Amino acid sequence: ADRVPMTDLYFTDSGKMSGFLRARPVVGGVFMPLLCDAALTQKWSSRAGQRDAPWARIPLMKFAMLAATAESAPSSWRFVNTAPTAEWTAPEFADAQWATGSGCFVRGQNAPPANLPPGTKWAAGPLWLRREFSLDAAPAGTPLLRITHSGPVDVFLNGVLAARLTRALHGYENLPLTAGARAALRPGRNVLAIHVPSPANERNRRYVDAGIIVSTGK
């Protein structure tokens, strides 16, 4: 059978390896699922010669998609490369003349990283994105921003700043929304908007995709 190499870095929500160093695997991270499965833990711990402490369960959070990322379903975005008017983040802003594309938005060589879904290419320069999603009711749990991006981005929800991010993410991560953005999320039509400014070096790989999820508890 084929052997799958171990790496130093795995995405905790999917178990996929990131393609980081393979020479120094973090074995403990691979075996962490044992702490989430009582039956599997008992199977192997019962073979140990000495057990000094009881099994300690790791609480696993459950999530539901409110606005899916490109990981699970194609998402339709409106986008432009020239600066729109100041009201572009507002839900009522008219974006019918903007181009249409699907995430992940990418440009540059080898974009996006291998673990991200390919999507729409954009020309050099900045990028403005908008997408709509609908909710039947206000979310009962904690809404979070699920996003991947290659550099600075500003994210807005219904016209309210939801996150201002600088550190590149090589996979999708769940990040908190601002209090104002959480309050702006409502039943019916919602608009998620993203601004990607021009980078210092246009030759660098660039990508962005985002959605909204909700934590539904353990």
Side-chain angles (χ1 to χ4, degrees):
D2 293 337
R3 296 183 178 181
V4 178
M6 298 174 69
T7 77
D8 275 4
L9 184 60
Y10 292 83
F11 294 103
T12 57
D13 58 349
S14 66
K16 296 180 180 179
M17 62 183 182
S18 73
F20 199 56
L21 297 177
R22 296 183 177 180
R24 299 175 293 143
V26 180
V27 178
V30 175
F31 289 98
M32 280 181 65
L34 289 172
L35 299 178
C36 306
D37 189 321
L40 191 59
T41 298
Q42 178 61 32
K43 172 184 175 180
W44 291 103
S45 65
S46 63
R47 304 181 185 184
Q50 181 178 357
R51 285 174 289 170
D52 297 327
W55 168 69
R57 180 180 176 83
I58 291 181
L60 295 180
M61 301 300 295
K62 296 180 180 178
F63 300 94
M65 284 286 186
L66 301 182
T69 64
E71 300 166 281
S72 56
S75 56
S76 179
W77 294 79
R78 295 281 188 175
F79 70 97
V80 291
N81 298 114
T82 55
T85 61
E87 300 80 17
W88 73 277
T89 65
E92 61 274 13
F93 178 80
D95 60 11
Q97 301 302 313
W98 290 22
T100 302
S102 59
C104 193
F105 279 77
V106 301
R107 66 163 272 100
Q109 294 183 345
N110 301 318
N115 60 297
L116 301 182
T120 303
K121 293 183 179 180
W122 89 85
L127 179 68
W128 288 264
L129 293 163
R130 285 171 53 94
R131 67 175 289 194
E132 297 183 9
F133 64 97
S134 296
L135 300 180
D136 294 332
T142 303
L144 299 167
L145 174 67
R146 184 159 179 81
I147 188 170
T148 183
H149 62 98
S150 56
V153 294
D154 290 336
V155 183
F156 302 84
L157 184 57
N158 291 332
V160 179
L161 181 66
R164 179 159 285 161
L165 309 172
T166 57
R167 180 177 63 88
L169 303 177
H170 299 289
Y172 289 86
E173 291 191 15
N174 304 330
L175 304 176
L177 298 168
T178 63
R182 292 196 303 271
L185 193 63
R186 61 200 180 195
R189 178 175 174 270
N190 293 269
V191 173
L192 182 64
I194 301 175
H195 175 220
V196 183
S198 294
N201 187 346
E202 284 286 0
R203 292 178 296 178
N204 290 345
R205 176 172 64 179
R206 303 174 70 194
Y207 52 89
V208 63
D209 184 44
I212 301 293
I213 67 171
V214 62
S215 168
T216 57
K218 301 176 182 178

